[in-house]
């Protein structure tokens, strides 16, 4: 009994230590410069910044750094500050200056706890400090590790590869913020070199949202010219390599012209996820099956190989919500492949599309997604949706 009690106490202590360690972990935001110097001075107050960038700044920063937009640290200017603290931000009033006016400042904050850990990437160590220094630049990392880092991180953490927080080292940093990434130049360290660093980023929480399924494009691997139309899972895997999951959750069939299979009057030998779809000519009154195509709903693991960010181009305020592939490709060139293999849709609040009860006019990887208000039961309006696409792995390796 004593052993069991000791073990239970140890588990509680370990849990508390883990929570304590998480609370001690800190991350650094991007730089914020909301206003230019006015006749009154320069204001970068936390309350104003959070009003505009609420999800990008924590509510209770543990530290703040300020510098002029040209890069001079605030303590090296001649300005006197009315306010200069993490809990309030920065306020410089021209009326309180002995010499001249306030400079134009930008600020960044150090945060801790859940703000840093809610949606966090893995650690990245791309560079070594053997030449000019250690450069872990966000744009470079996004190219080298496509899909693993959001387009606009809200915070960054930096440690040496041995696990020491960058703030605990004696190195001087050329850049250290969520927009640029991290840079330590050997030339700035005197007679020694920079430490070897690794970085990880905190992303907006929607980057980490995962729907539990995705849909392929419509697939038509056979025609009914001989014995009938057979769209078996096994045959589709061979005909459309990389575009078909091996263990689909559901299957839907319609004619090549878009009529639902259940409205054709044909009899089906098979219509399930175990085998796929099969219509045999000899079993039909007309002795001829329609030409069918199928779309598969796949588990989330099929969607994760080379996935885009979420796109929300439309609101359902007029006819409906239209998140079409063509429109995404037009507005965001290079961010979506020409022929996605799967699509996910969820509401902007994070509810997977298939759980909303809405009726969708289009929901496939080739065309994208559309929900029409006039087609919703009970006179309801469509929810507000966002979509993302799964692309061939080659798209992410470019």
């Amino acid at each position: 009994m004593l052993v069991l009690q000791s073990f239970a106490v140890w588990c509680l202590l370990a849990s508390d230590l883990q929570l304590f360690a998480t609370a001690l972990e800190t991350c650094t935001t991007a730089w914020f410069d909301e206003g230019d110097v006015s006749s009154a001075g320069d204001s970068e107050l936390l309350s104003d910044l959070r009003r505009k960038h609420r999800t990008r700044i924590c509510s209770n920063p543990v530290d703040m750094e300020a510098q002029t937009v040209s890069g001079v640290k605030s303590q090296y200017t001649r300005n006197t500050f009315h306010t200069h603290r993490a809990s309030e931000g920065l306020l410089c009033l021209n009326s309180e200056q002995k010499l001249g006016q306030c400079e134009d400042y930008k600020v960044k904050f150090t945060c801790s706890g859940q703000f840093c850990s809610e949606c966090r990437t893995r650690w990245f160590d791309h560079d070594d400090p053997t030449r000019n220094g250690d450069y872990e630049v966000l744009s470079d990392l996004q190219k080298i590790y496509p899909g693993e880092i959001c387009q606009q991180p809200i915070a960054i953490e930096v440690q040496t590869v041995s696990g020491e927080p960058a703030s605990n080292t004696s190195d001087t940093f050329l850049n250290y913020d969520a927009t640029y990434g991290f840079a330590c130049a050997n030339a700035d360290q005197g007679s020694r070199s920079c430490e070897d660093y690794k970085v990880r980023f905190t992303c907006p929480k929607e980057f980490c949202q995962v729907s539990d399924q995705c849909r392929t494009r419509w697939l038509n691997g056979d025609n009914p010219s001989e014995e009938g139309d057979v769209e078996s899972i096994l045959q589709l895997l061979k005909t459309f390599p990389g575009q078909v999951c091996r263990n689909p959750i559901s299957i839907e069939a319609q004619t090549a012209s878009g009529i639902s299979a259940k409205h054709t009057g044909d009899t089906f030998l098979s219509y399930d996820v175990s085998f796929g779809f099969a219509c045999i000519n000899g079993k039909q009154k007309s002795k001829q099956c329609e030409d069918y195509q199928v779309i598969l709903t796949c588990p989330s693991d099929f969607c994760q190989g080379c996935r885009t960010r979420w796109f929300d181009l439309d609101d359902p305020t007029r006819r409906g919500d239209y998140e079409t592939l063509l429109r995404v490709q037009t507005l965001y060139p290079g961010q979506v492949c020409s022929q996605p293999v799967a699509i996910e849709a969820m509401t902007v609040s994070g509810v997977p599309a298939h759980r909303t009860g809405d009726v969708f006019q289009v929901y496939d990887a080739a065309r994208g997604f559309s929900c029409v208000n006039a087609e919703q039961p009970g006179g309801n309006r469509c929810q507000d949706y966002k979509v993302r696409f799964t692309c061939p792995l080659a798209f992410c390796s470019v």
Side-chain angles (χ1 to χ4, degrees):
M1 177 64 79
L2 183 59
V3 173
L4 289 174
Q5 289 177 336
S6 298
F7 179 74
V9 170
W10 183 88
C11 289
L12 288 171
L13 286 173
S15 176
D16 289 344
L17 286 171
Q18 178 62 39
L19 290 172
F20 182 66
T22 301
L24 288 178
E25 290 177 345
T26 62
C27 57
T28 303
T29 69
W31 288 103
F32 296 95
D33 175 27
E34 277 310 294
D36 296 328
V37 179
S38 67
S39 57
D42 190 17
S43 174
E44 307 293 342
L45 292 174
L46 178 62
S47 57
D48 295 335
L49 293 171
R50 273 187 48 80
R51 193 174 296 117
K52 186 173 182 179
H53 307 281
R54 179 167 297 276
T55 61
R56 306 185 67 83
I57 307 174
C58 51
S59 57
N60 296 297
V62 296
D63 198 7
M64 182 190 79
E65 183 179 341
Q67 61 180 229
T68 66
V69 292
S70 61
V72 179
K73 292 184 178 181
S74 58
Q75 60 265 39
Y76 298 135
T77 67
R78 295 182 177 182
N79 287 158
T80 299
F81 301 103
H82 185 80
T83 298
H84 190 307
R85 60 175 65 91
S87 60
E88 296 181 39
L90 179 143
L91 179 60
C92 181
L93 299 176
N94 288 334
S95 60
E96 296 180 353
Q97 308 310 307
K98 295 179 180 179
L99 296 173
Q101 294 186 331
C102 294
E103 299 280 352
D104 186 8
Y105 289 96
K106 59 184 179 180
V107 295
K108 66 178 179 179
F109 298 91
T110 300
C111 299
S112 64
Q114 187 177 4
F115 177 84
C116 302
S117 61
E118 187 170 20
C119 178
R120 193 161 54 187
T121 69
R122 65 178 179 87
W123 289 103
F124 299 96
D125 176 27
H126 167 61
D127 196 21
D128 297 317
T130 50
R131 297 184 179 179
N132 295 329
D134 195 343
Y135 292 80
E136 308 292 343
V137 181
L138 174 62
S139 58
D140 293 340
L141 294 171
Q142 287 171 327
K143 292 176 183 176
I144 298 167
Y145 306 101
E148 293 193 42
I149 308 172
C150 51
Q151 288 296 114
Q152 294 183 314
I154 61 177
I156 182 176
E157 294 173 72
V158 184
Q159 294 182 1
T160 66
V161 292
S162 61
E164 187 73 15
S167 57
N168 290 355
T169 70
S170 57
D171 285 349
T172 300
F173 307 125
L174 183 64
N175 276 295
Y176 184 173
D177 70 82
T179 303
Y180 173 87
F182 175 83
C184 180
N186 287 336
D188 293 338
Q189 313 310 316
S191 59
R192 56 186 180 79
S193 297
C194 295
E195 299 278 352
D196 188 7
Y197 291 95
K198 59 184 179 181
V199 300
R200 66 179 173 186
F201 298 90
T202 298
C203 291
K205 62 181 181 181
E206 57 265 24
F207 181 75
C208 292
Q209 288 177 334
V210 178
S211 59
D212 53 7
Q213 58 183 236
C214 60
R215 285 165 65 93
T216 67
R217 59 181 53 233
W218 286 99
L219 307 164
N220 190 348
D222 193 22
N223 60 66
S225 58
E226 296 180 358
E227 294 184 359
D229 194 341
V230 179
E231 309 288 345
S232 70
I233 303 299
L234 184 61
Q235 191 58 46
L236 291 171
L237 284 165
K238 294 178 181 178
T239 307
F240 303 100
Q243 300 183 48
V244 180
C245 52
R246 294 184 175 275
N247 53 339
I249 298 170
S250 66
I251 182 173
E252 182 182 341
Q254 66 178 26
T255 66
S257 61
I259 300 173
S260 175
K262 63 184 179 183
H263 294 148
T264 63
D266 283 349
T267 300
F268 310 122
L269 180 65
S270 177
Y271 190 170
D272 60 58
V273 295
S274 298
F275 175 85
F277 177 87
C279 180
I280 306 302
N281 289 336
K283 299 291 185 180
Q284 313 308 314
K285 291 179 180 180
S286 64
K287 301 302 179 182
Q288 181 69 43
C289 293
E290 297 281 350
D291 184 12
Y292 289 96
Q293 57 186 352
V294 298
I295 189 170
L296 304 175
T297 299
C298 297
S300 61
D301 58 357
F302 176 75
C303 326
Q304 296 173 5
C306 175
R307 195 161 54 187
T308 69
R309 68 175 182 85
W310 288 103
F311 299 97
D312 175 25
L313 309 183
D314 196 19
D315 298 317
T317 50
R318 296 183 180 180
R319 294 176 54 203
D321 196 343
Y322 295 82
E323 311 289 343
T324 64
L325 174 62
L326 180 60
R327 191 175 177 204
V328 173
Q329 290 170 328
T330 302
L331 293 176
Y332 298 94
Q335 295 192 34
V336 184
C337 51
S338 59
Q339 294 185 316
V341 300
I343 181 176
E344 297 166 80
M346 66 166 55
T347 67
V348 293
S349 62
V351 179
H354 68 278
R355 296 181 183 173
T356 63
D358 284 353
V359 175
F360 310 123
Q361 186 179 77
V362 174
Y363 187 4
D364 67 78
R367 294 178 294 170
F369 176 90
S370 65
C371 179
V372 180
N373 288 335
E375 297 177 356
Q376 304 313 304
N380 293 322
R381 194 170 69 177
C382 296
Q383 304 270 347
D384 188 8
Y385 290 94
K386 60 184 178 181
V387 298
R388 66 178 170 188
F389 298 89
T390 298
C391 291
L393 291 175
F395 179 74
C396 286
S397 61
V398 175

